Amino acid sequence: MSDEPIKAPQRPPGIVWLDIPLALPDLLESVGLWRSMTGPLLPTDERELALLAGKFRFTPGQIQATAAYALQLSDWREASGEGGTAGEWLQTAAYSLLRHRLSDKAVKMESRLDWDDLILPTEALQLLRQACNRLVHRHTVLSEWGFDRLLPYGRGISMLFTGPPGTGKTMSASVMAKAVRAELYRIDLSRVVSKYIGETEKNLGEIFEQAGQSGAILFFDEADALFGKRSEVKDAHDKYANMETSYLLQKMEEYDGLTILATNFAQNLDDAFMRRIQYIIRFPFPDSEHRQRLWRSAIPAAMPAGEIDYGFLGETFELTGGPIKNIVLTAAFLAAEAGEPLTMQRLLESVVQEYKKTGKLLMKDRFGPYAQYWKG
């Protein structure tokens, strides 16, 4: 047996050489295999079975090995008092069997964040959840309802996140990955883009091939740096740059999982490129109301804090979520050093520090009733 067809160096007389392809189970067959091999010892609902089948392109033998190892995990964890669910044990066991090489060109991201941690416009949240539901219910729609026959290719889910830095693009990707219990990899563009013709496509092809083993979510941050507006072909470099863009689109459409492109400058992306993206989610600069919520969410419940004027912070300082988190963290360390709760003074001192870091001028009159805390 071999993963690739083998050509016989010579054909001995009387021997027939046949290539017999043994394809991986399709989605419907895979769900049935997971159901039969988990059985009553690992009771798993249909939603979880569909997620496993869609995520892991396993052979019947790999599914059987996963179920056997998950059963061992369940015995060990229950004996140690850790507990858990059959779905969690099966996910852990399945990932332990994988041998992909995504970490060669990407960084794995972990998240403890949930939907409640995202402070975004309602429309953006609805689209994020809708994309997650596509992953959860693709077994029903594609296999049971027959849409896979109408979509011989192009079953991948593609998303574009646009908006200023610090508005929640990376956090949203992390929340989505946790919601569907999928691996999330941020693509390291420095390891993908190559000046040598054809090398970038080769790297992209390997990323999508490796990601297909576990249905990983691929997150291309600052994607406009790699796939900007397709230029008029003036030389060989322009021609191959356009080929790289087309190749990315092709791989995104062929991939059965979720691909996310994030950019701070949507205007740099080609219009034809944008039309082929299924979900375009805009992350706007937060208004004062959203900024107040960001300030509140950035302070953990366990943090001892005095009276914080969230209204003043949200109205006065036009900041996104990223800088707000930096400010609160800096203020928390200042408070810890002083042995006191978090106060407005520490927060405002940290605001000044954050503005100086970015080269922005912050005048004393902006501090209003808290002018005594301004340090130029």
Side-chain angles (χ1 to χ4, degrees):
M1 295 181 64
S2 170
D3 291 337
E4 301 292 336
I6 299 175
K7 294 292 185 181
Q10 54 185 335
R11 300 292 176 91
I15 295 180
V16 177
W17 187 281
L18 296 175
D19 287 331
I20 303 176
L22 300 175
L24 286 171
D26 62 23
L27 191 56
L28 191 60
E29 293 168 340
S30 185
V31 169
L33 287 167
W34 281 102
R35 185 187 299 113
S36 64
M37 292 183 184
T38 52
L41 294 178
L42 290 168
T44 310
D45 62 30
E46 289 298 310
R47 180 180 181 274
E48 189 69 47
L49 291 173
L51 278 174
L52 289 165
K55 191 180 300 182
F56 303 104
R57 302 302 305 274
F58 280 0
T59 64
Q62 288 175 310
I63 295 175
Q64 186 177 38
T66 299
Y69 184 44
L71 196 57
Q72 292 178 326
L73 282 175
S74 69
D75 292 340
W76 182 81
R77 289 190 175 180
E78 287 179 353
S80 62
E82 290 188 25
T85 66
E88 292 169 350
W89 300 325
L90 286 164
Q91 292 266 353
T92 302
Y95 279 122
S96 72
L97 293 178
L98 292 175
R99 294 292 182 270
H100 64 54
R101 302 186 305 277
L102 270 174
S103 56
D104 292 347
K105 294 182 175 63
V107 178
K108 187 175 182 180
M109 301 171 62
E110 304 287 351
S111 175
R112 297 179 181 178
L113 301 173
D114 296 304
W115 291 110
D116 291 340
D117 296 305
L118 289 179
I119 299 175
L120 295 171
T122 302
E123 182 182 0
L125 285 170
Q126 288 174 343
L127 290 174
L128 292 172
R129 287 182 179 273
Q130 190 180 122
C132 285
N133 287 335
R134 278 207 178 194
L135 289 172
V136 173
H137 299 296
R138 60 184 166 183
H139 163 62
T140 300
V141 175
L142 297 180
S143 297
E144 294 185 1
W145 294 352
F147 275 84
D148 54 349
R149 293 187 297 105
L150 304 178
L151 301 170
Y153 70 95
R155 291 181 291 184
I157 304 169
S158 57
M159 305 185 74
L160 175 66
F161 292 175
T162 71
T167 49
K169 298 186 291 294
T170 302
M171 182 187 295
S172 295
S174 300
V175 169
M176 293 179 71
K178 184 182 178 186
V180 297
R181 284 194 276 180
E183 292 183 312
L184 173 65
Y185 279 88
R186 176 159 51 188
I187 309 305
D188 186 347
L189 297 181
S190 67
R191 303 185 203 177
V192 174
V193 181
S194 174
K195 63 181 179 180
Y196 299 106
I197 292 174
E199 194 67 21
T200 300
E201 290 95 325
K202 178 182 175 182
N203 292 334
L204 285 169
E206 184 177 344
I207 286 172
F208 280 97
E209 179 184 356
Q210 297 297 317
Q213 296 185 35
S214 66
I217 296 175
L218 298 177
F219 181 67
F220 289 83
D221 201 4
E222 300 180 2
D224 54 306
L226 179 57
F227 309 107
K229 284 185 178 292
R230 286 182 283 188
S231 58
E232 180 183 349
V233 177
K234 297 178 181 177
D235 54 30
H237 180 271
D238 292 335
K239 174 183 177 182
Y240 284 104
N242 291 345
M243 288 174 62
E244 291 171 356
T245 303
S246 299
Y247 185 78
L248 172 71
L249 285 170
Q250 175 190 334
K251 299 308 291 185
M252 289 170 61
E253 290 173 345
E254 292 174 353
Y255 183 51
D256 279 341
L258 171 61
T259 308
I260 301 173
L261 308 177
T263 174
N264 301 333
F265 307 101
Q267 65 270 21
N268 291 351
L269 292 173
D270 182 75
D271 290 340
F273 189 104
M274 300 275 280
R275 284 194 297 270
R276 292 170 68 176
I277 301 294
Q278 292 168 326
Y279 293 94
I280 298 178
I281 301 181
R282 292 171 174 81
F283 292 73
F285 197 95
D287 58 22
S288 60
E289 179 184 349
H290 277 84
R291 292 197 295 268
Q292 289 185 45
R293 293 172 58 193
L294 287 167
W295 280 104
R296 290 181 185 276
S297 67
I299 301 176
M303 173 77 197
E307 186 174 346
I308 306 299
D309 191 345
Y310 294 105
F312 175 81
L313 294 171
E315 289 282 351
T316 306
F317 305 112
E318 297 180 354
L319 298 166
T320 60
I324 288 174
K325 288 182 180 178
N326 292 338
I327 290 168
V328 172
L329 186 61
T330 300
F333 277 105
L334 291 174
E337 181 182 4
E340 62 184 23
L342 183 67
T343 61
M344 279 293 289
Q345 178 178 353
R346 299 302 180 197
L347 285 171
L348 293 173
E349 289 173 358
S350 302
V351 167
V352 173
Q353 184 175 323
E354 183 71 17
Y355 269 76
K356 285 183 176 179
K357 183 179 73 176
T358 57
K360 295 180 180 178
L361 186 62
L362 188 61
M363 304 303 292
K364 185 176 181 179
D365 58 3
R366 292 277 299 279
F367 276 50
Y370 303 99
Q372 68 271 25
Y373 300 141
W374 180 85
K375 293 182 180 179

